[in-house]
Amino acid sequence: MATKPEDWNFPGGVDCAYCGQRVEVRAFPAIQQESRGERPEAILGAGEAGCYYHPQNRATVPCDACGRFLCALCDLPLDGQHLCPPCVDAGVKGNKLAAADTSRTYYDSVALGFATWPMLLFYFSLFTAPVALYYVIRYWKQPQGILPRTRIRFVLAAILALLQLGMWVMIAGAIIWQMMRSQGGAR
Amino acid sequence: MAAYQYRRLLPRERGILRYAELWAADDHLLSAASTRLAVAYQRFPLAEIQAFSITTLPHWTFPQLAWLFLSAALFLVSVLAPTLPFLQVLFGGLAIWPLLLAIREVWRGPRCRVYIHTPTGAHLLPAVARQARVDEFLAIVTPLVEGVQGHVERMAITERTVEHPEEVARQQIGQQRGLRLFAFGALLAEGLFYTWEAAYPALGRKPEVIIVGFGVYLVIVIIMVTVWRQATPILRRDRVYTLAGAALALALAELVFAVAAGFIAAFRFGAAGDLTWITTVSAAWRIPLALAALTIELRRK
């Protein structure tokens, strides 16, 4: 930050000396702390347990997932648990770690988009309505994300898609009935 | 997977295709940025937050003026289609939406950027994008962080910078000179173009001449706005920006009057209104202003 420390925590902020724009900095005690890495301790006696991945280091905690002893270097605290690197990797791949959950796809919005936007050009709805229904059925039970979200979009998408399909069925039925009438009249 | 209970801290910050939210759990903040089809999360442990920095952005930004010019362009298209009333109504109706977006942009007040500083770096918080929301943000989040870390008074002076702000501003003025020369020269050329067009009104009334002239004019104004937006308050006190700003303000006023006059004339008489007298009067003022700005810029060492 280009703002000087004496201007931090100044109510209303100050004008930046370089660009003249108003800048406000709200600092907290963590800014004064130096970040220090944990150093593992060496095993001193035969009775001490060693780390599974570094046998020469003293174990401090067991992994909450696999139970292996871990030194300070291998201990990865996440979501209130102590985990080893392979368990973190498995948790990320298996989508079991909340801290590793960094993105989600909103399939309900995708389904609603397939059910609504093609109505601008009605003919596309013949193909997009089944796609919308597929998304509703396929992803109905999938967790929506870590933030509160209802399934109203899935419901709306299903209703619209069914209405569109119903309309296409009626159109097809009307065409077939008309063809049958014209053939009967020709006879 | 451990589940956190989140509570929303601020109302959703909405864009056209995106929105951003700020939530809080017991031990961390969660920033969620969504494209409406997907969402990306960023977590910031309360114990690791070092600082928030809030920078106010210039009030007039490119998005506001882009919406205004788009609206004006659509109005002009509706004016140039006198024989097709349907297109007149269509484009005239479409022109209302960017105008409303521009008004909404101005109504919501100046923008700002909020960065959250942690040991891993500075991260933009998209959920706080308006200066009007900053006080609410600080009032809610500061107690959360201080509840974990404690409070710290204003720092003692540790080191002062020695660079003089005026010297820094002079260095910045020397940069982007080529872009300013191009913009001021183009503004001057545009004023001369409309003056020449006023001398030959038959040529000036041709739709293709009007469309090309408007297109060139639009590009010039957008470049001018971009140059202006890049200028800091210190640079804007410089004479060349004052003169160019006055020329730009006249150009904008001319555009608004011309579009409004043409729109009214098209609906009243069924043909595009005569715009040359408006552009001539405005060009008479714009030419000397642009010439002065260009001269100062060329003589600058």
Side-chain angles (χ1 to χ4, degrees), chain A residues 6 17 19 21-22 24 26 28 30 96 98 101-104 106 109, chain B residues 1-2 36-37 39 41 43 50-52 54 56 149 154 160 163 165 233:
Chain A
E6 62 264 27
C19 65
Q21 293 298 122
R22 175 67 52 154
E24 182 174 358
R26 190 69 63 93
F28 302 102
K96 293 177 183 174
D101 198 354
T102 58
S103 65
R104 286 291 180 114
Y106 284 150
S109 295
Chain B
M1 179 164 60
R36 300 186 187 275
L37 296 180
V39 63
Y41 305 120
R43 294 174 180 80
Q50 295 175 332
F52 297 117
I54 302 110
T56 306
Q149 298 186 26
R154 289 180 61 190
R160 286 191 178 276
E163 292 177 6

PDB file of all heavy atoms in Angstrom, chain A residues 6 17 19 21-22 24 26 28 30 96 98 101-104 106 109, chain B residues 1-2 36-37 39 41 43 50-52 54 56 149 154 160 163 165 233:
ATOM      1  N   GLU A   6       0.960   6.201   9.218  1.00  0.00           N
ATOM      2  CA  GLU A   6       0.288   7.150  10.117  1.00  0.00           C
ATOM      3  C   GLU A   6      -1.078   7.567   9.603  1.00  0.00           C
ATOM      4  O   GLU A   6      -1.858   8.193  10.309  1.00  0.00           O
ATOM      5  CB  GLU A   6       1.150   8.405  10.336  1.00  0.00           C
ATOM      6  CG  GLU A   6       1.429   9.200   9.079  1.00  0.00           C
ATOM      7  CD  GLU A   6       2.748   8.844   8.455  1.00  0.00           C
ATOM      8  OE1 GLU A   6       3.198   7.698   8.655  1.00  0.00           O
ATOM      9  OE2 GLU A   6       3.330   9.687   7.775  1.00  0.00           O
ATOM     10  N   ALA A  17      -1.224  10.816  -2.048  1.00  0.00           N
ATOM     11  CA  ALA A  17      -0.258  11.847  -2.457  1.00  0.00           C
ATOM     12  C   ALA A  17       0.100  11.729  -3.930  1.00  0.00           C
ATOM     13  O   ALA A  17       0.594  12.674  -4.534  1.00  0.00           O
ATOM     14  CB  ALA A  17       1.006  11.735  -1.602  1.00  0.00           C
ATOM     15  N   CYS A  19      -2.073  10.194  -6.621  1.00  0.00           N
ATOM     16  CA  CYS A  19      -3.153  10.348  -7.597  1.00  0.00           C
ATOM     17  C   CYS A  19      -4.261  11.259  -7.117  1.00  0.00           C
ATOM     18  O   CYS A  19      -5.152  11.612  -7.891  1.00  0.00           O
ATOM     19  CB  CYS A  19      -3.735   8.986  -7.968  1.00  0.00           C
ATOM     20  SG  CYS A  19      -4.559   8.135  -6.615  1.00  0.00           S
ATOM     21  N   GLN A  21      -6.731  10.599  -5.216  1.00  0.00           N
ATOM     22  CA  GLN A  21      -7.986   9.934  -4.890  1.00  0.00           C
ATOM     23  C   GLN A  21      -8.050   9.677  -3.386  1.00  0.00           C
ATOM     24  O   GLN A  21      -7.042   9.513  -2.706  1.00  0.00           O
ATOM     25  CB  GLN A  21      -8.092   8.603  -5.645  1.00  0.00           C
ATOM     26  CG  GLN A  21      -8.231   8.747  -7.150  1.00  0.00           C
ATOM     27  CD  GLN A  21      -9.482   9.477  -7.555  1.00  0.00           C
ATOM     28  OE1 GLN A  21      -9.436  10.496  -8.228  1.00  0.00           O
ATOM     29  NE2 GLN A  21     -10.628   9.004  -7.132  1.00  0.00           N
ATOM     30  N   ARG A  22      -9.274   9.610  -2.887  1.00  0.00           N
ATOM     31  CA  ARG A  22      -9.491   9.355  -1.460  1.00  0.00           C
ATOM     32  C   ARG A  22      -9.210   7.878  -1.188  1.00  0.00           C
ATOM     33  O   ARG A  22      -9.729   7.004  -1.866  1.00  0.00           O
ATOM     34  CB  ARG A  22     -10.938   9.704  -1.103  1.00  0.00           C
ATOM     35  CG  ARG A  22     -11.348   9.386   0.298  1.00  0.00           C
ATOM     36  CD  ARG A  22     -10.668  10.217   1.337  1.00  0.00           C
ATOM     37  NE  ARG A  22     -10.752  11.655   1.123  1.00  0.00           N
ATOM     38  CZ  ARG A  22     -10.676  12.543   2.110  1.00  0.00           C
ATOM     39  NH1 ARG A  22     -10.533  12.141   3.338  1.00  0.00           N
ATOM     40  NH2 ARG A  22     -10.714  13.827   1.851  1.00  0.00           N
ATOM     41  N   GLU A  24      -8.894   5.053   2.068  1.00  0.00           N
ATOM     42  CA  GLU A  24      -9.068   4.772   3.496  1.00  0.00           C
ATOM     43  C   GLU A  24      -8.527   3.380   3.770  1.00  0.00           C
ATOM     44  O   GLU A  24      -8.807   2.426   3.048  1.00  0.00           O
ATOM     45  CB  GLU A  24     -10.544   4.837   3.901  1.00  0.00           C
ATOM     46  CG  GLU A  24     -10.774   4.601   5.384  1.00  0.00           C
ATOM     47  CD  GLU A  24     -12.213   4.813   5.815  1.00  0.00           C
ATOM     48  OE1 GLU A  24     -13.042   5.184   4.964  1.00  0.00           O
ATOM     49  OE2 GLU A  24     -12.498   4.596   7.005  1.00  0.00           O
ATOM     50  N   ARG A  26      -8.145   0.510   6.783  1.00  0.00           N
ATOM     51  CA  ARG A  26      -8.518   0.038   8.124  1.00  0.00           C
ATOM     52  C   ARG A  26      -7.622  -1.154   8.431  1.00  0.00           C
ATOM     53  O   ARG A  26      -7.788  -2.215   7.854  1.00  0.00           O
ATOM     54  CB  ARG A  26      -9.997  -0.353   8.137  1.00  0.00           C
ATOM     55  CG  ARG A  26     -10.555  -0.632   9.496  1.00  0.00           C
ATOM     56  CD  ARG A  26     -10.633   0.641  10.319  1.00  0.00           C
ATOM     57  NE  ARG A  26     -11.528   1.631   9.749  1.00  0.00           N
ATOM     58  CZ  ARG A  26     -12.815   1.754  10.066  1.00  0.00           C
ATOM     59  NH1 ARG A  26     -13.367   0.942  10.927  1.00  0.00           N
ATOM     60  NH2 ARG A  26     -13.538   2.708   9.514  1.00  0.00           N
ATOM     61  N   PHE A  28      -5.541  -3.913  11.050  1.00  0.00           N
ATOM     62  CA  PHE A  28      -5.812  -4.740  12.221  1.00  0.00           C
ATOM     63  C   PHE A  28      -4.493  -5.294  12.757  1.00  0.00           C
ATOM     64  O   PHE A  28      -3.475  -5.241  12.069  1.00  0.00           O
ATOM     65  CB  PHE A  28      -6.768  -5.881  11.857  1.00  0.00           C
ATOM     66  CG  PHE A  28      -8.067  -5.404  11.291  1.00  0.00           C
ATOM     67  CD1 PHE A  28      -8.307  -5.451   9.940  1.00  0.00           C
ATOM     68  CD2 PHE A  28      -9.052  -4.877  12.112  1.00  0.00           C
ATOM     69  CE1 PHE A  28      -9.493  -4.993   9.400  1.00  0.00           C
ATOM     70  CE2 PHE A  28     -10.244  -4.413  11.588  1.00  0.00           C
ATOM     71  CZ  PHE A  28     -10.462  -4.467  10.228  1.00  0.00           C
ATOM     72  N   ALA A  30      -3.188  -8.071  12.896  1.00  0.00           N
ATOM     73  CA  ALA A  30      -2.503  -9.101  12.108  1.00  0.00           C
ATOM     74  C   ALA A  30      -1.457  -8.510  11.179  1.00  0.00           C
ATOM     75  O   ALA A  30      -0.534  -9.207  10.747  1.00  0.00           O
ATOM     76  CB  ALA A  30      -3.527  -9.895  11.285  1.00  0.00           C
ATOM     77  N   LYS A  96     -14.906 -33.384  -0.543  1.00  0.00           N
ATOM     78  CA  LYS A  96     -15.304 -33.600   0.844  1.00  0.00           C
ATOM     79  C   LYS A  96     -14.787 -32.518   1.772  1.00  0.00           C
ATOM     80  O   LYS A  96     -15.073 -32.528   2.954  1.00  0.00           O
ATOM     81  CB  LYS A  96     -14.787 -34.965   1.324  1.00  0.00           C
ATOM     82  CG  LYS A  96     -15.460 -36.130   0.617  1.00  0.00           C
ATOM     83  CD  LYS A  96     -14.877 -37.459   1.065  1.00  0.00           C
ATOM     84  CE  LYS A  96     -15.516 -38.602   0.294  1.00  0.00           C
ATOM     85  NZ  LYS A  96     -14.887 -39.889   0.585  1.00  0.00           N
ATOM     86  N   ALA A  98     -14.773 -28.624   2.764  1.00  0.00           N
ATOM     87  CA  ALA A  98     -15.446 -27.352   2.522  1.00  0.00           C
ATOM     88  C   ALA A  98     -14.452 -26.263   2.133  1.00  0.00           C
ATOM     89  O   ALA A  98     -14.731 -25.414   1.297  1.00  0.00           O
ATOM     90  CB  ALA A  98     -16.231 -26.943   3.771  1.00  0.00           C
ATOM     91  N   ASP A 101     -13.702 -26.118  -1.502  1.00  0.00           N
ATOM     92  CA  ASP A 101     -14.839 -25.874  -2.394  1.00  0.00           C
ATOM     93  C   ASP A 101     -14.761 -24.424  -2.855  1.00  0.00           C
ATOM     94  O   ASP A 101     -15.166 -23.514  -2.137  1.00  0.00           O
ATOM     95  CB  ASP A 101     -16.137 -26.142  -1.639  1.00  0.00           C
ATOM     96  CG  ASP A 101     -17.303 -26.327  -2.581  1.00  0.00           C
ATOM     97  OD1 ASP A 101     -17.122 -26.141  -3.798  1.00  0.00           O
ATOM     98  OD2 ASP A 101     -18.397 -26.654  -2.091  1.00  0.00           O
ATOM     99  N   THR A 102     -14.228 -24.206  -4.041  1.00  0.00           N
ATOM    100  CA  THR A 102     -13.998 -22.831  -4.490  1.00  0.00           C
ATOM    101  C   THR A 102     -14.925 -22.402  -5.613  1.00  0.00           C
ATOM    102  O   THR A 102     -14.948 -21.227  -5.965  1.00  0.00           O
ATOM    103  CB  THR A 102     -12.548 -22.657  -4.963  1.00  0.00           C
ATOM    104  OG1 THR A 102     -12.299 -23.582  -6.012  1.00  0.00           O
ATOM    105  CG2 THR A 102     -11.571 -22.873  -3.827  1.00  0.00           C
ATOM    106  N   SER A 103     -15.670 -23.328  -6.195  1.00  0.00           N
ATOM    107  CA  SER A 103     -16.583 -22.925  -7.261  1.00  0.00           C
ATOM    108  C   SER A 103     -17.678 -23.963  -7.397  1.00  0.00           C
ATOM    109  O   SER A 103     -17.499 -25.125  -7.021  1.00  0.00           O
ATOM    110  CB  SER A 103     -15.835 -22.751  -8.587  1.00  0.00           C
ATOM    111  OG  SER A 103     -15.330 -23.989  -9.018  1.00  0.00           O
ATOM    112  N   ARG A 104     -18.825 -23.502  -7.912  1.00  0.00           N
ATOM    113  CA  ARG A 104     -19.953 -24.390  -8.161  1.00  0.00           C
ATOM    114  C   ARG A 104     -20.660 -23.930  -9.430  1.00  0.00           C
ATOM    115  O   ARG A 104     -20.657 -22.738  -9.748  1.00  0.00           O
ATOM    116  CB  ARG A 104     -20.982 -24.321  -7.016  1.00  0.00           C
ATOM    117  CG  ARG A 104     -20.576 -25.015  -5.732  1.00  0.00           C
ATOM    118  CD  ARG A 104     -20.528 -26.506  -5.873  1.00  0.00           C
ATOM    119  NE  ARG A 104     -20.149 -27.133  -4.634  1.00  0.00           N
ATOM    120  CZ  ARG A 104     -20.940 -27.929  -3.900  1.00  0.00           C
ATOM    121  NH1 ARG A 104     -22.149 -28.197  -4.311  1.00  0.00           N
ATOM    122  NH2 ARG A 104     -20.502 -28.426  -2.780  1.00  0.00           N
ATOM    123  N   TYR A 106     -24.280 -23.507 -11.182  1.00  0.00           N
ATOM    124  CA  TYR A 106     -25.701 -23.419 -10.833  1.00  0.00           C
ATOM    125  C   TYR A 106     -26.508 -24.113 -11.928  1.00  0.00           C
ATOM    126  O   TYR A 106     -26.963 -23.487 -12.890  1.00  0.00           O
ATOM    127  CB  TYR A 106     -26.119 -21.959 -10.708  1.00  0.00           C
ATOM    128  CG  TYR A 106     -25.658 -21.292  -9.431  1.00  0.00           C
ATOM    129  CD1 TYR A 106     -25.387 -19.940  -9.403  1.00  0.00           C
ATOM    130  CD2 TYR A 106     -25.507 -22.006  -8.253  1.00  0.00           C
ATOM    131  CE1 TYR A 106     -24.977 -19.318  -8.239  1.00  0.00           C
ATOM    132  CE2 TYR A 106     -25.094 -21.394  -7.084  1.00  0.00           C
ATOM    133  CZ  TYR A 106     -24.832 -20.049  -7.078  1.00  0.00           C
ATOM    134  OH  TYR A 106     -24.418 -19.430  -5.925  1.00  0.00           O
ATOM    135  N   SER A 109     -29.951 -22.683 -12.647  1.00  0.00           N
ATOM    136  CA  SER A 109     -29.984 -21.526 -13.547  1.00  0.00           C
ATOM    137  C   SER A 109     -29.775 -21.958 -14.992  1.00  0.00           C
ATOM    138  O   SER A 109     -30.366 -21.379 -15.915  1.00  0.00           O
ATOM    139  CB  SER A 109     -28.902 -20.514 -13.157  1.00  0.00           C
ATOM    140  OG  SER A 109     -29.167 -19.965 -11.885  1.00  0.00           O
TER     141      SER A 109
ATOM    142  N   MET B   1     -18.237 -33.645   4.608  1.00  0.00           N
ATOM    143  CA  MET B   1     -17.655 -32.306   4.495  1.00  0.00           C
ATOM    144  C   MET B   1     -18.245 -31.415   5.574  1.00  0.00           C
ATOM    145  O   MET B   1     -19.446 -31.388   5.753  1.00  0.00           O
ATOM    146  CB  MET B   1     -17.990 -31.752   3.099  1.00  0.00           C
ATOM    147  CG  MET B   1     -17.474 -30.372   2.865  1.00  0.00           C
ATOM    148  SD  MET B   1     -17.451 -29.905   1.115  1.00  0.00           S
ATOM    149  CE  MET B   1     -19.134 -30.046   0.643  1.00  0.00           C
ATOM    150  N   ALA B   2     -17.378 -30.703   6.285  1.00  0.00           N
ATOM    151  CA  ALA B   2     -17.867 -29.831   7.348  1.00  0.00           C
ATOM    152  C   ALA B   2     -18.689 -28.712   6.723  1.00  0.00           C
ATOM    153  O   ALA B   2     -18.281 -28.114   5.745  1.00  0.00           O
ATOM    154  CB  ALA B   2     -16.688 -29.246   8.115  1.00  0.00           C
ATOM    155  N   ARG B  36     -24.146 -15.918 -12.607  1.00  0.00           N
ATOM    156  CA  ARG B  36     -25.522 -16.398 -12.650  1.00  0.00           C
ATOM    157  C   ARG B  36     -25.617 -17.852 -13.117  1.00  0.00           C
ATOM    158  O   ARG B  36     -26.640 -18.486 -12.901  1.00  0.00           O
ATOM    159  CB  ARG B  36     -26.433 -15.513 -13.526  1.00  0.00           C
ATOM    160  CG  ARG B  36     -26.497 -14.101 -13.022  1.00  0.00           C
ATOM    161  CD  ARG B  36     -27.485 -13.242 -13.782  1.00  0.00           C
ATOM    162  NE  ARG B  36     -27.374 -11.865 -13.362  1.00  0.00           N
ATOM    163  CZ  ARG B  36     -27.991 -11.338 -12.314  1.00  0.00           C
ATOM    164  NH1 ARG B  36     -28.772 -12.088 -11.576  1.00  0.00           N
ATOM    165  NH2 ARG B  36     -27.831 -10.073 -11.992  1.00  0.00           N
ATOM    166  N   LEU B  37     -24.597 -18.362 -13.764  1.00  0.00           N
ATOM    167  CA  LEU B  37     -24.576 -19.781 -14.104  1.00  0.00           C
ATOM    168  C   LEU B  37     -23.565 -20.551 -13.254  1.00  0.00           C
ATOM    169  O   LEU B  37     -23.626 -21.774 -13.183  1.00  0.00           O
ATOM    170  CB  LEU B  37     -24.243 -19.967 -15.589  1.00  0.00           C
ATOM    171  CG  LEU B  37     -25.263 -19.412 -16.580  1.00  0.00           C
ATOM    172  CD1 LEU B  37     -24.807 -19.664 -17.999  1.00  0.00           C
ATOM    173  CD2 LEU B  37     -26.643 -20.007 -16.347  1.00  0.00           C
ATOM    174  N   VAL B  39     -20.580 -19.943  -9.682  1.00  0.00           N
ATOM    175  CA  VAL B  39     -20.166 -19.072  -8.586  1.00  0.00           C
ATOM    176  C   VAL B  39     -18.769 -19.483  -8.158  1.00  0.00           C
ATOM    177  O   VAL B  39     -18.410 -20.666  -8.203  1.00  0.00           O
ATOM    178  CB  VAL B  39     -21.159 -19.167  -7.404  1.00  0.00           C
ATOM    179  CG1 VAL B  39     -21.201 -20.560  -6.826  1.00  0.00           C
ATOM    180  CG2 VAL B  39     -20.813 -18.153  -6.325  1.00  0.00           C
ATOM    181  N   TYR B  41     -15.929 -18.962  -4.970  1.00  0.00           N
ATOM    182  CA  TYR B  41     -15.828 -18.568  -3.562  1.00  0.00           C
ATOM    183  C   TYR B  41     -14.386 -18.188  -3.213  1.00  0.00           C
ATOM    184  O   TYR B  41     -13.440 -18.770  -3.717  1.00  0.00           O
ATOM    185  CB  TYR B  41     -16.242 -19.732  -2.648  1.00  0.00           C
ATOM    186  CG  TYR B  41     -17.604 -20.315  -2.920  1.00  0.00           C
ATOM    187  CD1 TYR B  41     -17.748 -21.655  -3.258  1.00  0.00           C
ATOM    188  CD2 TYR B  41     -18.743 -19.535  -2.822  1.00  0.00           C
ATOM    189  CE1 TYR B  41     -18.992 -22.197  -3.510  1.00  0.00           C
ATOM    190  CE2 TYR B  41     -19.994 -20.074  -3.070  1.00  0.00           C
ATOM    191  CZ  TYR B  41     -20.108 -21.406  -3.408  1.00  0.00           C
ATOM    192  OH  TYR B  41     -21.349 -21.937  -3.651  1.00  0.00           O
ATOM    193  N   ARG B  43     -12.337 -17.433   0.566  1.00  0.00           N
ATOM    194  CA  ARG B  43     -12.482 -17.392   2.023  1.00  0.00           C
ATOM    195  C   ARG B  43     -11.345 -16.597   2.639  1.00  0.00           C
ATOM    196  O   ARG B  43     -10.199 -16.708   2.207  1.00  0.00           O
ATOM    197  CB  ARG B  43     -12.480 -18.816   2.610  1.00  0.00           C
ATOM    198  CG  ARG B  43     -13.691 -19.629   2.198  1.00  0.00           C
ATOM    199  CD  ARG B  43     -13.547 -21.062   2.677  1.00  0.00           C
ATOM    200  NE  ARG B  43     -14.700 -21.862   2.301  1.00  0.00           N
ATOM    201  CZ  ARG B  43     -14.895 -22.394   1.103  1.00  0.00           C
ATOM    202  NH1 ARG B  43     -13.992 -22.201   0.171  1.00  0.00           N
ATOM    203  NH2 ARG B  43     -15.971 -23.105   0.834  1.00  0.00           N
ATOM    204  N   GLN B  50      -5.372  -8.605   7.475  1.00  0.00           N
ATOM    205  CA  GLN B  50      -4.441  -7.575   7.922  1.00  0.00           C
ATOM    206  C   GLN B  50      -5.040  -6.177   7.798  1.00  0.00           C
ATOM    207  O   GLN B  50      -4.830  -5.336   8.658  1.00  0.00           O
ATOM    208  CB  GLN B  50      -3.153  -7.650   7.090  1.00  0.00           C
ATOM    209  CG  GLN B  50      -2.385  -8.940   7.315  1.00  0.00           C
ATOM    210  CD  GLN B  50      -1.183  -9.043   6.396  1.00  0.00           C
ATOM    211  OE1 GLN B  50      -1.179  -8.481   5.310  1.00  0.00           O
ATOM    212  NE2 GLN B  50      -0.172  -9.773   6.835  1.00  0.00           N
ATOM    213  N   ALA B  51      -5.763  -5.936   6.714  1.00  0.00           N
ATOM    214  CA  ALA B  51      -6.297  -4.586   6.520  1.00  0.00           C
ATOM    215  C   ALA B  51      -7.323  -4.599   5.393  1.00  0.00           C
ATOM    216  O   ALA B  51      -7.377  -5.529   4.589  1.00  0.00           O
ATOM    217  CB  ALA B  51      -5.168  -3.603   6.178  1.00  0.00           C
ATOM    218  N   PHE B  52      -8.164  -3.552   5.390  1.00  0.00           N
ATOM    219  CA  PHE B  52      -9.020  -3.237   4.246  1.00  0.00           C
ATOM    220  C   PHE B  52      -8.530  -1.907   3.680  1.00  0.00           C
ATOM    221  O   PHE B  52      -8.290  -0.964   4.437  1.00  0.00           O
ATOM    222  CB  PHE B  52     -10.482  -3.071   4.666  1.00  0.00           C
ATOM    223  CG  PHE B  52     -11.093  -4.321   5.235  1.00  0.00           C
ATOM    224  CD1 PHE B  52     -11.533  -4.358   6.545  1.00  0.00           C
ATOM    225  CD2 PHE B  52     -11.231  -5.456   4.460  1.00  0.00           C
ATOM    226  CE1 PHE B  52     -12.092  -5.511   7.090  1.00  0.00           C
ATOM    227  CE2 PHE B  52     -11.788  -6.607   4.986  1.00  0.00           C
ATOM    228  CZ  PHE B  52     -12.215  -6.626   6.302  1.00  0.00           C
ATOM    229  N   ILE B  54      -9.721   1.018   0.909  1.00  0.00           N
ATOM    230  CA  ILE B  54     -10.855   1.464   0.092  1.00  0.00           C
ATOM    231  C   ILE B  54     -10.408   2.664  -0.712  1.00  0.00           C
ATOM    232  O   ILE B  54      -9.968   3.678  -0.144  1.00  0.00           O
ATOM    233  CB  ILE B  54     -12.054   1.861   0.978  1.00  0.00           C
ATOM    234  CG1 ILE B  54     -12.462   0.661   1.850  1.00  0.00           C
ATOM    235  CG2 ILE B  54     -13.220   2.308   0.118  1.00  0.00           C
ATOM    236  CD1 ILE B  54     -12.156   0.813   3.297  1.00  0.00           C
ATOM    237  N   THR B  56     -11.608   5.412  -3.625  1.00  0.00           N
ATOM    238  CA  THR B  56     -12.725   5.973  -4.382  1.00  0.00           C
ATOM    239  C   THR B  56     -12.298   6.179  -5.827  1.00  0.00           C
ATOM    240  O   THR B  56     -11.225   6.729  -6.093  1.00  0.00           O
ATOM    241  CB  THR B  56     -13.149   7.318  -3.783  1.00  0.00           C
ATOM    242  OG1 THR B  56     -13.420   7.129  -2.398  1.00  0.00           O
ATOM    243  CG2 THR B  56     -14.402   7.831  -4.470  1.00  0.00           C
ATOM    244  N   GLN B 149      -9.141 -10.482  16.567  1.00  0.00           N
ATOM    245  CA  GLN B 149      -7.761  -9.995  16.662  1.00  0.00           C
ATOM    246  C   GLN B 149      -7.568  -8.929  17.725  1.00  0.00           C
ATOM    247  O   GLN B 149      -6.461  -8.718  18.192  1.00  0.00           O
ATOM    248  CB  GLN B 149      -7.329  -9.395  15.315  1.00  0.00           C
ATOM    249  CG  GLN B 149      -7.333 -10.365  14.159  1.00  0.00           C
ATOM    250  CD  GLN B 149      -6.764  -9.717  12.912  1.00  0.00           C
ATOM    251  OE1 GLN B 149      -5.958  -8.789  12.967  1.00  0.00           O
ATOM    252  NE2 GLN B 149      -7.184 -10.200  11.759  1.00  0.00           N
ATOM    253  N   ARG B 154      -4.127   4.019  15.771  1.00  0.00           N
ATOM    254  CA  ARG B 154      -3.398   4.518  14.597  1.00  0.00           C
ATOM    255  C   ARG B 154      -1.899   4.310  14.765  1.00  0.00           C
ATOM    256  O   ARG B 154      -1.328   4.546  15.820  1.00  0.00           O
ATOM    257  CB  ARG B 154      -3.707   5.988  14.375  1.00  0.00           C
ATOM    258  CG  ARG B 154      -5.119   6.208  13.872  1.00  0.00           C
ATOM    259  CD  ARG B 154      -5.364   7.679  13.666  1.00  0.00           C
ATOM    260  NE  ARG B 154      -4.444   8.229  12.679  1.00  0.00           N
ATOM    261  CZ  ARG B 154      -4.320   9.516  12.454  1.00  0.00           C
ATOM    262  NH1 ARG B 154      -5.022  10.389  13.154  1.00  0.00           N
ATOM    263  NH2 ARG B 154      -3.483   9.964  11.553  1.00  0.00           N
ATOM    264  N   ARG B 160       8.705   7.880   6.400  1.00  0.00           N
ATOM    265  CA  ARG B 160       8.033   8.846   5.540  1.00  0.00           C
ATOM    266  C   ARG B 160       8.617   8.773   4.142  1.00  0.00           C
ATOM    267  O   ARG B 160       9.804   8.574   3.960  1.00  0.00           O
ATOM    268  CB  ARG B 160       8.213  10.270   6.081  1.00  0.00           C
ATOM    269  CG  ARG B 160       7.383  10.552   7.307  1.00  0.00           C
ATOM    270  CD  ARG B 160       7.427  12.043   7.607  1.00  0.00           C
ATOM    271  NE  ARG B 160       6.606  12.383   8.751  1.00  0.00           N
ATOM    272  CZ  ARG B 160       5.305  12.598   8.672  1.00  0.00           C
ATOM    273  NH1 ARG B 160       4.687  12.500   7.529  1.00  0.00           N
ATOM    274  NH2 ARG B 160       4.619  12.904   9.740  1.00  0.00           N
ATOM    275  N   GLU B 163       9.161  11.593  -1.874  1.00  0.00           N
ATOM    276  CA  GLU B 163       8.806  12.043  -3.215  1.00  0.00           C
ATOM    277  C   GLU B 163       7.779  13.159  -3.134  1.00  0.00           C
ATOM    278  O   GLU B 163       6.782  13.051  -2.438  1.00  0.00           O
ATOM    279  CB  GLU B 163       8.228  10.874  -4.015  1.00  0.00           C
ATOM    280  CG  GLU B 163       9.263   9.794  -4.336  1.00  0.00           C
ATOM    281  CD  GLU B 163       8.637   8.626  -5.051  1.00  0.00           C
ATOM    282  OE1 GLU B 163       7.460   8.707  -5.382  1.00  0.00           O
ATOM    283  OE2 GLU B 163       9.333   7.623  -5.244  1.00  0.00           O
ATOM    284  N   PRO B 165       4.697  15.223  -4.322  1.00  0.00           N
ATOM    285  CA  PRO B 165       3.574  14.854  -5.185  1.00  0.00           C
ATOM    286  C   PRO B 165       3.514  15.659  -6.477  1.00  0.00           C
ATOM    287  O   PRO B 165       3.098  15.144  -7.504  1.00  0.00           O
ATOM    288  CB  PRO B 165       2.340  15.109  -4.306  1.00  0.00           C
ATOM    289  CG  PRO B 165       2.801  15.993  -3.220  1.00  0.00           C
ATOM    290  CD  PRO B 165       4.252  15.708  -3.011  1.00  0.00           C
ATOM    291  N   PRO B 233      -6.910  13.507 -10.424  1.00  0.00           N
ATOM    292  CA  PRO B 233      -7.320  14.879 -10.069  1.00  0.00           C
ATOM    293  C   PRO B 233      -6.190  15.891 -10.206  1.00  0.00           C
ATOM    294  O   PRO B 233      -6.431  17.051 -10.550  1.00  0.00           O
ATOM    295  CB  PRO B 233      -7.788  14.727  -8.619  1.00  0.00           C
ATOM    296  CG  PRO B 233      -8.263  13.335  -8.536  1.00  0.00           C
ATOM    297  CD  PRO B 233      -7.350  12.555  -9.436  1.00  0.00           C
TER     298      PRO B 233
END
